[in-house]
Amino acid sequence: MANIHWNQQFFVDSATLQPASSGIPLPTYGNFGGAGYSQGVFSANPDPAQFDPVPVDALDQQFEIHDQESAAADTVAEQAAADVTLIRGIEAANQVHQPDPEAALYGGGATLAMIEQLAAANSLELLAPGEFAEVSGNALESIGRGIAGLSAEEAGQAADWLGDVADAVGVDIPLTAQDVSAVQGRVFDLIF
């Protein structure tokens, strides 16, 4: 595994949940997962001649597609359509491939983030009736399954990261590798 880069982070503003230069730290994933992170680097326009990595797994492939669609999006509506494609792509990939714990955790979080982006763009109607409940429920299940399946080392990294998130949002949560499962419900409260 080791596809979540816990120490290679991007940030989102705690009030708007939009990418920012500081705020809530979020890890990157593979070569394409994370705001401003594409082809294994942070750059608005990575040089394809210099960086040409392939996706590390089915989830990362969905992030690559999202990066391409986001780069081509000229309007809020086109970006919202790209976000819906990512949500549906994660769902489809999970049906074909049983994701490992890291992919389940990150994919669930990415789905919730895209739902938040759709809400911010007043575009939740792009999800079919009943789809919102299904994908958000599946995302929460994936996050829980991912947390439960992390190795001790990964759980320690996740706990350290959750501590950083707690600090960024001003919440005092005691975190150790053993506390990760207990913190899961508290983190969901922060997200929602």
Side-chain angles (χ1 to χ4, degrees):
M1 291 193 284
N3 290 328
I4 295 180
H5 311 298
W6 297 102
N7 295 317
Q8 194 170 6
Q9 301 171 337
F10 63 99
F11 298 91
V12 295
D13 181 270
S14 62
T16 65
L17 298 180
Q18 295 296 312
S21 58
S22 64
I24 301 171
L26 298 172
T28 57
Y29 185 92
N31 289 318
F32 298 94
Y37 184 76
S38 189
Q39 299 182 0
V41 296
F42 282 106
S43 175
N45 299 304
D47 179 359
Q50 185 177 2
F51 302 103
D52 193 20
V54 297
V56 299
D57 60 14
L59 176 61
D60 202 32
Q61 184 175 26
Q62 296 307 311
F63 293 138
E64 179 184 32
I65 293 166
H66 185 255
D67 286 357
Q68 293 165 350
E69 291 184 0
S70 294
D74 291 324
T75 66
V76 172
E78 290 173 348
Q79 182 59 55
D83 296 345
V84 169
T85 298
L86 177 58
I87 291 168
R88 291 179 178 152
I90 291 170
E91 285 285 301
N94 286 348
Q95 291 175 7
V96 174
H97 308 282
Q98 179 63 36
D100 67 37
E102 281 191 341
L105 174 60
Y106 203 91
T111 297
L112 295 178
M114 292 302 98
I115 289 171
E116 173 58 35
Q117 294 301 310
L118 290 175
N122 294 317
S123 298
L124 280 174
E125 75 280 353
L126 294 175
L127 295 174
E131 189 176 14
F132 172 81
E134 181 178 352
V135 298
S136 58
N138 289 346
L140 292 172
E141 287 179 26
S142 290
I143 291 169
R145 190 173 57 253
I147 289 173
L150 292 177
S151 70
E153 179 182 346
E154 293 164 326
Q157 291 172 318
D160 290 345
W161 168 72
L162 288 172
D164 292 343
V165 170
D167 289 345
V169 297
V171 175
D172 184 27
I173 301 175
L175 294 170
T176 67
Q178 295 79 21
D179 294 328
V180 172
S181 293
V183 170
Q184 176 184 355
R186 187 80 184 269
V187 172
F188 295 155
D189 291 341
L190 290 173
I191 293 171
F192 297 108

